[in-house]
Amino acid sequence: MDAITTLPVMSPAAGEIFLAVAAMALLMFGVFRGGKAQEATSWLAVAVLLIAGGLVLSHGGDTRPAFFGMFKVGAFAQFAKILILAGSILAIIMSRSTFRQDSFERFEYPVLIVLSTLGMLMMVSANDMIALYVGLETQSLALYVIASIRRDTLRSTEAGLKYFVLGALSSGMLLYGSSLVYGFAGTTEFETLARVFADLDGQQPAVGLIIGLVFVICGLAFKVSAVPFHMWTPDVYEGAPTPVTALFAVAPKVAALALFLRVLLEPFGALVGEWQQIIALIAVLSMALGAVGAIVQTNIKRLMAYSSIGHMGYALVGLAAANEAGVAGILVYLAIYLFMNVGTFACILAMRRQGRAVEGIHDLAGLSKTHPGMAAMIMIFMFSMAGIPPLAGFFGKWFVFMAAVNAGLIALAILGVVASVIGAFYYLRIVKIMYFDEAEEPLDAAIPGDLKIIMTVMAAVTLLFFIVPAPLVSSAKAAASALFAG
């Protein structure tokens, strides 16, 4: 009887438990099915992720702990998890036609995405430094394998190796920082850490504690590819198969940024004076590199890597604001970022010439004449990423910049606007190449139906977001309030 009473509460983690069991079942299904099992496994993985989404929504956004307080759900976690699941589902669907055209059948691919998604959901709900690390590594280990899943190509294996080595370094920094925090605070639980720091009553925290916090920030900054921990991003984006890059650009970024918010605003919320300047500096450097680094790129996947670095810098402006408006702005930004990136990568996946995938920016030359619909959608995504109103990307930047202004970080907001203007150059350059350059050889006319549907839906949302922004904005505000309410 005593053993029964000491069992942890597990119902808030129903979605994660289901994903873990389903991933094992999918793996066994693929092994025993044999042959070309990827198609069936992909659709089963999509169904599994949809069911997990239903389980995530089933708790209604109420704040509830599980596993003796090491895991916590609430409106904030729910919002981020739905974005993560949506990104993973779309990544699986987009990969089907590409892998089929390349005669690449690996049933392990959707299974690994399910496992990495499990880690992402655990990250968002982690309520303890140990649980945080478990979730982070569950995500990362699966992503290392996914990056190098094309074992027969040098670029893919190189991308996986670089990601693994640098990821191990960042994990070591995170663990070292967590151990220092534990050594000086005596706990790894988020709520207890928050109480310990709140009880300082204006006293200066120990130097060792600040050093630990800096190492934790460094480890998390790697996961969102923020400068100066961005070095892996361009090489991995270029080397990994394009469907994998599409996944990397969306779901892991949402999970890592949500984790960043939770770690700094919950356990370390009382130390905002110690970490705010660090986040502001990282944001400025990321925006600057994202704006300048992409200008000289000729590979569109590398360009999207630098674009991703810049967008994470814009999002970190909201974190530097350290207020509810900033968190709500980040959540709106992440949702819009998902729409823009999924749509853009659907277009990139459709770039084929004589059945072979092409990645050069100049391969888009003359696209407006051969594929006018696709060119129009890429133009929508590029204008949105540049922040041109009234497209969705403008509103994402508007929310985070206004949060910074309201927090008194006017210089940071101005630098963000300047970086956005500079970055608009390489987005507009793509539009110029599509509409004004002549194609030496046009892209293939046939575009898979699933990619057509995804890019059309994403373009419509990006273009028409300003008509009905209220549902997304109100949900983001409710999630931000839940985060600050604890």
Side-chain angles (χ1 to χ4, degrees), residues 66-244:
F67 295 104
F68 304 114
M70 298 187 73
F71 185 96
K72 186 172 73 172
V73 297
F76 175 81
Q78 186 182 71
F79 188 99
K81 288 179 182 181
I82 294 303
L83 291 182
I84 292 166
L85 289 166
S88 297
I89 289 170
L90 291 168
I92 292 175
I93 294 173
M94 287 194 296
S95 69
R96 288 176 52 257
S97 58
T98 301
F99 285 151
R100 187 169 58 246
Q101 288 174 300
D102 293 340
S103 300
F104 180 78
E105 297 289 340
R106 290 286 187 276
F107 74 86
E108 302 96 326
Y109 178 73
V111 178
L112 286 166
I113 290 184
V114 171
L115 286 170
S116 66
T117 305
L118 167 62
M120 295 177 211
L121 301 192
M122 291 172 62
M123 287 163 57
V124 173
S125 283
N127 203 38
D128 187 285
M129 299 299 287
I130 297 173
L132 178 158
Y133 182 73
V134 171
L136 199 62
E137 287 305 294
T138 303
Q139 172 213 249
S140 299
L141 290 172
L143 293 182
Y144 298 151
V145 180
I146 291 174
S148 56
I149 198 160
R150 294 294 298 262
R151 293 173 298 181
D152 55 336
T153 64
L154 180 62
R155 291 174 63 196
S156 181
T157 51
E158 180 185 356
L161 182 61
K162 286 180 178 178
Y163 193 24
F164 170 70
V165 171
L166 293 172
L169 175 63
S170 73
S171 296
M173 296 171 71
L174 181 66
L175 277 179
Y176 182 62
S178 299
S179 66
L180 284 175
V181 170
Y182 173 73
F184 283 90
T187 183
T188 57
E189 297 177 355
F190 283 6
E191 278 88 354
T192 310
L193 283 170
R195 287 196 296 272
V196 168
F197 300 144
D199 290 341
L200 289 175
D201 291 329
Q203 298 179 15
Q204 187 68 23
V207 175
L209 181 63
I210 301 303
I211 295 174
L213 174 58
V214 170
F215 272 100
V216 169
I217 291 173
C218 292
L220 295 177
F222 175 91
K223 301 303 178 183
V224 298
S225 62
V227 177
F229 308 99
H230 66 286
M231 68 291 291
W232 62 274
T233 314
D235 292 339
V236 173
Y237 270 47
E238 182 182 11
T242 306
V244 175

Side-chain angles (χ1 to χ4, degrees), residues 80 109 135 188 219 267 342 431 465 484:
Y109 178 73
T188 57
V342 168
V431 176
F465 172 80
F484 278 87

Side-chain angles (χ1 to χ4, degrees), residues 275-335:
W275 57 257
Q276 188 179 45
Q277 292 180 341
I278 299 173
I279 298 300
L281 177 61
I282 291 175
V284 170
L285 294 176
S286 300
M287 291 186 294
L289 183 72
V292 176
I295 293 176
V296 298
Q297 303 304 320
T298 57
N299 183 290
I300 194 164
K301 287 164 66 178
R302 287 187 74 88
L303 182 143
M304 290 302 295
Y306 283 101
S307 172
S308 172
I309 293 169
H311 282 296
M312 290 302 102
Y314 298 129
L316 288 173
V317 171
L319 177 56
N323 53 28
E324 275 192 37
V327 175
I330 291 175
L331 295 178
V332 172
Y333 197 101
L334 288 176

Side-chain angles (χ1 to χ4, degrees), residues 450-463:
D450 49 1
L451 294 181
K452 276 186 180 178
I453 294 171
I454 289 174
M455 65 175 71
T456 302
V457 172
M458 296 299 126
V461 173
T462 304
L463 181 64

